[in-house]
Every structure is written in C-alpha cells, then in structure tokens.
Amino acid sequence: MKKAMLLGVLLLMGFLTGCDPKFTQPELGARKSPILTEGKYQFKDLNKNGKLDPYEDWRLPMEARITNLVGQMTLEEKVGLLFHPNIAVTESGELKYDLTPEEKEAIRKAEEEGYAGPIGPGGQNAGAMAMGQMRRTATAKSYIEEKNFRCILNNGVAAPEKFAAWSNGMQEIAEASRLGIPIVFSSDPRHSAKLGGHVSGTQYFSHITNGEGQVGITAGGDPAMMRRFGEIMAEEFRAVGLHMFLGPQIDVITEPRWGRNMGCFSESAELTAEMTAALVEGAQGENVGPGKILVHLKHWPGSGPHLGGSGRWLVYPGNNQEYHYLPWRTGIEKGALAAMGYYSGTYYDSLNVNYSYHMSTEVLYGELGFKGAICTDWGVVGNGPLKPSLQGTTTKKDNMAMILNAGVDQMGSETQPDLVLELVQEGRVSEERINQAASRILQWHFILGLFENPYVDPEKAAQVLQSEENEAFGLECQRVSNVLLTNDGTLPAKEGVKIFVDGIVPEVAAEYGTVVDKPADADIILYRTTSTPDRRGGFGPPPAPQKGKNKRPAPMMDPFSPREVNIDFPAEKFDHLKKLVATGKPVVADINPTGSSLVITPALKALPQALILSFDPTDAAVLDVVFGRHNPKSKLPFEIPSSMEAVKAQLEDVPFDSPNPSFPFGFGLSYDE
C-alpha cells in the first residue's frame, strides 16, 4: 500500500508538470536473485518471492525502502546488523566458507575455557598466536548465513584480482540469503607509503599518505590535494569491493603527548575541519552511490585532550570542549553517516563515550544533528564501562545493554549476537531500539547502491590500483609531507656528491649521489630516524582469563591516574646525532614523529646543519627535498614544544598554548627564502 501511494504521488507530479517521471536504470548485479521487469525498468527480486517489494524498488526514497525491509526482517537478521566483526582476505584470495571438523572442535574447547584467541590450521595452536589472527579463520557460513553479519572489516591484503574476486564471492553468499542483504566492507587506511599497523603486508594500493592519518598532506596546506586523495581512495577501495573508510581521524592535536596524534590532521580545529571537508567531498562526492565510499569519522567526541596524554580520561581544563566539536560539525554537514566512539571516559558521567547516553544521544544526535549510525571502537565491549564503581562488576551482556541503550548502534569486532537476542527477550533492550539501530545502519547499504549491484570487476581492479597517475600523485603527497625546520645553507644539496646515509636505504640514496661507507669520506651526512617516544601506561594490565562467553572483565588500572608520558627525543639518538656532527661534515637530520608529537629542545634544534620533520614519506620523497627536486613549502600543522616542562604546563584541550615553542604552528622554511 505504501509503495503504491508513493508511486501514485510520483505519477501525479509527472501529470501536473506535463511529463512522465524519469528514472535512470541502475546497473544490476544479480547472481542469486531473479530479475523483475516493470515497464521499461528492471529490479532484483532479492527475497525471491516473484514480486517487486518496496525495498527492492530503487525508484523509491531510501527511507521507504528501509522501513519496508526492516518490517520483513526477523529479530535475528536485525541484530546481525548491529555487529561489525573482522574477516581478512588472505594473499591466496581463498574464500573460507566453513571450518573443518577439527577446527570446530578446537574452537568449542577454547570457548569452554574462556579463550578468545586464534585457532591454528587443523585446530592446533589454540592460545599460541596473537588474538587478531583468529579472525582469519572466520567463515562466510558462520558470519553471513548463521549470524547475519552485513558489515565486515576487511584489513586483509591480496593482489587486486584476488581481492575483488573474494569480495564478489562473499557478496554472492549474502545475495543468496533470505532477503539478499549485501555486505558493507570497511577497511582501515591502506594508502600508506609503507604498510603497517592495522593493515600489513604487500602494498597493492597506491602509495599516497602517511600512516593512519593525513597530517602530511595537511602540512602541504592544499585542500584540493586532500580532496584528490579522497577521490583516489574511493576509486581504489570500490575497485576491490571495499565501501567504507574507517577514518578520517578528526581528533584535534591539542595534547602533544597523546599517542595517536600523527593519525590526525592538525592542532587547529579550523584547519582540521577544512581538510575534513575536502576529504569527505573527495571520498563521498555529492552523492555517494556507486564509485564512492562512506567515511567513518573518528573518534567521537574528539580524543585529543587526554589527561596527561595517556589514560582513558578526556579533560577540558581550558573549558574548550566545543573547539573539538568543530570538525564534527563540518563532517556531519558534509554528509558523514558513520561515527566511531573512542574508549575514553567523559567528564559528564565518568562513563566511556560508547556507554554514555549523554555523549552519544544527547550531544551527537541531539546537539550536533548527526543522522547516521554510531559504531564502537574495536574491543570496547570487552573493556567494560570505565566508571570506577562499575569496573569488573559487569558481564559482556551487561556492557552490550549499556552501549545499545546509550544510543550506540553497532559494536566493532564483536561476534556474539546471541547476547543481544537474550537482552531483547529479557526486556533489557527494546525491539524498537533494535529497529532504530538497524534502520540507521541500513542507510549505508542503500546509499552505496549495494542492493542493486555489490559486485566488482577483478580485471578492472588490477588496472585501477597503483595506476601511473595515482602513483605520481602519491609521490607528490609524500614530498609535501616534509617540513624544513632549520637550514644553514646546506640545503639544497648538489646531486652527485658523496653521501653517508644512516636510516636511509643506500640503493635509494645512490640515485642522488655516491654513497660512501664512512662519515669521514662523505660530503654530506643524512640521518633519518623516528622520535620513538615512551608512551607506556594508561590502559592498565590485561584482564585475567575468564570462563564462558559472557565473562566479566577484570578491573582496569585507575584511569584517573595516567602514567607519565615522555616525548623527548631519545637520549641515545641525540648522542648518536652529536657523534655524526662531531665528524665536521654537514649533517641533515630527518625526524619522523611516531604516534605522539615530540619535543625539540634548543640543543637539538641547533645541532644539525639542517633539520626536517617528516610524516612517513618514502626515502625518495625525503631525498627529493634534500637535493632540491622538491622545494619545501609545507608548514607545521601543530606547534613543537621546547621542553617536557612546557608540555606539562599547557592545557590538554587548548591549542597553541605551549610556552616558548621551538617552532610555532604554521612554521616552515623554503628554498625561496
């Protein structure tokens, strides 16, 4: 009836305007669903009932399609949407449909003992490998057919053709299900110059940006470059069947000790907002649809101002919380439909953000007008609520109830929908709340066009990834990811000189000059290193092993008393740099901050003949700056404090307040000066 009324309205509009309503037939990808024809248009019969249901009708508004679909879903199918687990494609590209009997038995025994780690091939090695590897044994049958998961994080690595074929195979299984709901595949950042962290292995995507964040491109100061990065990311993600970027990280760098600063954009909320807008415009476009991806803004509510740079407590001693909302307002205005809450506790109710009704519902949805779905960060459920009086007293099921009732719609990394089903049966979470969460999440599937065609072309994927054009753009991004801080005239160096390199691949340096084995024989010494700050502490000891699927986590270390974080340049590296300078040869030092910001003392600032701050570019991109193939014009997107005393004197939530910084925000030299 609703479908007929909507179509009637469309036809009436056409009559009143003197023309027929016009629709553009989308490309349909159907491998398990029959094709229905109405007039000159075609549709997928996703539920295989021989008639066109409103959710299958691409002519209808998305809201009407979602309402119809949710109305047809079982509780089990809806609850499956509330989970965002991991399955990683492997280099072989093999799709693992089911476990062997030996693997099933090993997992059963491990679960009885309360073990949540990996199970090796054939069922052996339970408890012997890193926890994240177990997700490689997750199967399509279990996740898609039995648990009804339709949002999956794929941080695996495979050649483009194999990756795309694997994605198609997973989508084919989903299409064959009762309602044919497709899968939204997400991924952490993949376009680093060198893979590492969440995504590791051979780099098949274009080498564009630094690490997890975009601080290097931000240093270049060009929103058009950030927008182009978003476009290329969308192009390459969609080519292999990925649909959502778990980023950007729009936390503002106001606390230099926080260990994830180098995944952000800037210390300036305004610059962060500007670059966020550009990246979202590139990735999502004006209309997301086929060929574009969704961004997943993180970490709500802005995780820069951590107490002392560590721990799990967000603090606002400068009463500057609204400052950290600015990038969020911009991202929401640009159409972001996914948000990720962080692990940390809030000032309002001493609950983790994901457990806080105030932060999730009243502020993000109510005050900021967010229209999408919130997903927890990975592992939040197992960590439990941060509130001291609740630590160690709640079960996993209790945690899920708190998170869902706070207004958070999806749980990252979790794989136990039976616990949520029990919560509904017990009346602790209402089915209306489940419907609301499912409806918010289904926006992703519909706006991406996946109900019409979730499939990709493996041959085309091989042509798209690492195209010559994308790689050339990537090199330019890496070049601008270098800020020249000091220079006594040593740079730009002349090509062809004798070079001693430390921390740079000699074969790469040989493209610029003659590499020598001893500093004394060199005309110039190039020292490349990282800041490697001490970021220990703040998260407490790991929980003690517990038995059963609904285990009670052990209490964590007091989150209100973070351990001290030191971001001084390591003494042993400073001493090594002094030895290089003592040779009497000109020394160029390149420091790559790793995680946190760093302190550059007056002594370190004055030591080398030239000092470069880089953000994860390749050796070649750094050498292009050293030898003048690229004229450095990038500017610091955050200030550099001059001492740990200055770091401790500043306020965690306030920007640009370090006393007498070594280098202020926006500083950077050029060869034109």
Side-chain angles (χ1 to χ4, degrees):
M1 179 62 70
K2 289 183 178 180
K3 172 194 158 190
M5 291 176 63
L6 285 166
L7 286 176
V9 170
L10 293 171
L11 290 170
L12 178 61
M13 291 175 60
F15 174 78
L16 293 175
T17 57
C19 62
D20 292 330
K22 298 186 182 299
F23 302 98
T24 300
Q25 171 71 53
E27 178 183 354
L28 301 181
R31 299 188 179 185
K32 296 295 182 179
S33 302
I35 296 294
L36 300 173
T37 301
E38 279 201 4
K40 61 179 180 179
Y41 301 116
Q42 292 186 320
F43 309 86
K44 291 171 66 175
D45 186 10
L46 291 162
N47 62 5
K48 299 92 176 166
N49 67 354
K51 64 180 183 180
L52 182 62
D53 291 86
Y55 86 92
E56 300 164 341
D57 191 341
W58 46 261
R59 297 170 296 181
L60 296 179
M62 179 174 64
E63 293 77 10
R65 299 180 72 183
I66 291 174
T67 298
N68 176 258
L69 176 56
V70 172
Q72 295 193 41
M73 296 173 73
T74 65
L75 179 61
E76 289 78 9
E77 289 166 337
K78 288 181 286 190
V79 166
L81 287 170
L82 278 55
F83 290 78
H84 202 138
N86 303 40
I87 297 183
V89 64
T90 61
E91 279 279 6
S92 70
E94 178 186 1
L95 193 158
K96 191 176 185 68
Y97 177 73
D98 200 4
L99 295 173
T100 66
E102 293 79 11
E103 289 170 331
K104 290 179 181 178
E105 178 61 17
I107 290 175
R108 186 191 67 78
K109 290 181 178 178
E111 288 179 344
E112 281 185 356
E113 297 170 1
Y115 175 66
I119 304 300
Q124 77 276 21
N125 297 331
M129 297 181 288
M131 181 175 177
Q133 292 174 285
M134 182 179 179
R135 291 153 186 166
R136 293 184 179 272
T137 69
T139 67
K141 179 181 180 181
S142 171
Y143 278 26
I144 301 172
E145 296 179 345
E146 298 174 352
K147 296 186 176 181
N148 301 293
F149 296 152
R150 291 298 185 274
C151 297
I152 294 174
L153 169 58
N154 179 4
N155 276 345
V157 170
E161 306 97 315
K162 293 180 179 179
F163 199 128
W166 182 91
S167 299
N168 286 344
M170 294 285 283
Q171 295 287 9
E172 192 169 336
I173 295 169
E175 187 186 349
S177 65
R178 190 178 77 89
L179 295 173
I181 300 172
I183 302 167
V184 168
F185 282 111
S186 66
S187 174
D188 281 295
R190 288 181 170 271
H191 285 87
S192 304
K194 182 180 179 182
L195 283 178
H198 295 309
V199 183
S200 59
T202 303
Q203 175 59 295
Y204 293 106
F205 288 73
S206 293
H207 304 76
I208 295 177
T209 188
N210 60 290
E212 185 173 7
Q214 295 78 40
V215 66
I217 297 179
T218 302
D222 184 2
M225 177 174 276
M226 190 69 75
R227 189 175 299 108
R228 179 59 183 148
F229 166 56
E231 292 171 352
I232 292 175
M233 178 168 53
E235 175 188 29
E236 297 196 349
F237 268 45
R238 285 304 291 256
V240 297
L242 295 171
H243 316 106
M244 176 180 283
F245 167 49
L246 295 185
Q249 189 181 320
I250 60 175
D251 309 295
V252 183
I253 309 173
T254 55
E255 168 49 67
R257 291 168 289 187
W258 188 44
R260 298 191 65 176
N261 281 333
M262 294 306 104
C264 305
F265 288 93
S266 172
E267 186 169 354
S268 163
E270 292 80 8
L271 181 56
T272 298
E274 180 183 22
M275 291 298 180
T276 297
L279 191 148
V280 175
E281 288 169 0
Q284 296 196 167
E286 293 184 6
N287 299 298
V288 179
K292 291 295 182 179
I293 60 173
L294 289 170
V295 299
H296 198 136
L297 302 180
K298 62 184 186 183
H299 305 90
W300 172 251
S303 297
H306 273 83
L307 177 64
S310 70
R312 293 191 170 189
W313 189 247
L314 297 175
V315 292
Y316 305 93
N319 196 29
N320 209 27
Q321 189 168 11
E322 281 290 329
Y323 185 77
H324 294 264
Y325 290 167
L326 180 59
W328 286 91
R329 295 183 186 277
T330 299
I332 292 168
E333 182 181 313
K334 286 294 179 180
L337 289 173
M340 184 183 298
Y342 201 51
Y343 304 94
S344 301
T346 70
Y347 76 98
Y348 182 80
D349 47 21
S350 70
L351 287 168
N352 316 48
V353 172
N354 299 276
Y355 290 73
S356 172
Y357 180 85
H358 171 70
M359 293 306 303
S360 298
T361 296
E362 293 180 344
V363 180
L364 185 55
Y365 282 114
E367 294 181 24
L368 272 61
F370 181 58
K371 303 297 183 185
I374 307 174
C375 181
T376 71
D377 211 329
W378 267 235
V380 163
V381 173
N383 287 342
L386 186 61
K387 195 177 184 74
S389 62
L390 294 176
Q391 285 186 43
T393 68
T394 61
T395 65
K396 199 168 189 180
K397 187 163 72 173
D398 295 333
N399 298 345
M400 289 184 174
M402 293 179 69
I403 288 168
L404 291 172
N405 288 327
V408 175
D409 307 294
Q410 198 173 64
M411 293 169 281
S413 80
E414 298 302 323
T415 60
Q416 294 176 268
D418 55 314
L419 296 181
V420 177
L421 291 171
E422 291 174 12
L423 288 169
V424 177
Q425 293 162 1
E426 295 165 4
R428 297 172 62 188
V429 174
S430 70
E431 190 161 356
E432 289 74 20
R433 173 70 189 105
I434 301 297
N435 292 345
Q436 180 189 51
S439 298
R440 288 172 174 171
I441 293 162
L442 282 169
Q443 292 180 94
W444 302 345
H445 302 70
F446 278 106
I447 200 169
L448 286 160
L450 299 180
F451 279 92
E452 281 62 62
N453 187 14
Y455 300 107
V456 293
D457 182 349
E459 292 185 8
K460 182 180 178 182
Q463 300 169 6
V464 169
L465 271 64
Q466 291 189 3
S467 68
E468 185 176 340
E469 178 183 357
N470 291 356
E471 285 288 272
F473 172 79
L475 177 58
E476 190 59 25
C477 289
Q478 293 168 42
R479 286 169 169 166
V480 304
S481 296
N482 295 278
V483 180
L484 182 61
L485 296 179
T486 66
N487 182 22
D488 70 349
T490 296
L491 301 184
K494 293 182 179 180
E495 293 196 31
V497 298
K498 290 181 287 185
I499 316 167
F500 177 80
V501 294
D502 187 339
I504 293 176
V505 176
E507 291 78 9
V508 177
E511 298 293 323
Y512 300 81
T514 302
V515 178
V516 296
D517 296 330
K518 298 178 181 178
D521 297 334
D523 296 315
I524 188 171
I525 295 172
L526 308 180
Y527 176 45
R528 189 172 189 207
T529 188
T530 64
S531 61
T532 57
D534 181 2
R535 297 188 302 278
R536 294 174 299 169
F539 288 88
Q546 303 282 325
K547 291 185 179 292
K549 66 178 182 179
N550 190 20
K551 57 190 176 185
R552 177 178 287 112
M556 295 183 298
M557 179 179 290
D558 181 6
F560 305 98
S561 302
R563 296 178 184 174
E564 183 171 335
V565 176
N566 177 27
I567 58 171
D568 272 322
F569 188 65
E572 66 275 12
K573 293 187 176 183
F574 182 77
D575 290 341
H576 182 66
L577 180 58
K578 283 198 296 185
K579 292 177 182 178
L580 293 175
V581 172
T583 64
K585 305 291 184 175
V587 175
V588 177
D590 168 72
I591 302 176
N592 185 27
T594 51
S596 306
S597 309
L598 79 159
V599 167
I600 296 181
T601 62
L604 175 58
K605 179 179 178 179
L607 192 55
Q609 278 65 44
L611 178 60
I612 298 170
L613 197 71
S614 68
F615 303 108
D616 285 350
T618 58
D619 287 347
V622 175
L623 290 166
D624 281 350
V625 172
V626 170
F627 288 94
R629 296 186 187 181
H630 172 80
N631 183 3
K633 296 184 178 181
S634 297
K635 307 298 181 183
L636 283 175
F638 51 86
E639 66 183 5
I640 305 292
S642 57
S643 68
M644 277 304 301
E645 288 71 23
V647 169
K648 295 173 185 177
Q650 52 92 62
L651 301 179
E652 286 92 340
D653 61 326
V654 176
F656 320 126
D657 67 334
S658 182
N660 301 312
S662 286
F663 299 98
F665 167 81
F667 181 85
L669 301 177
S670 162
Y671 296 150
D672 296 331
E673 300 171 357

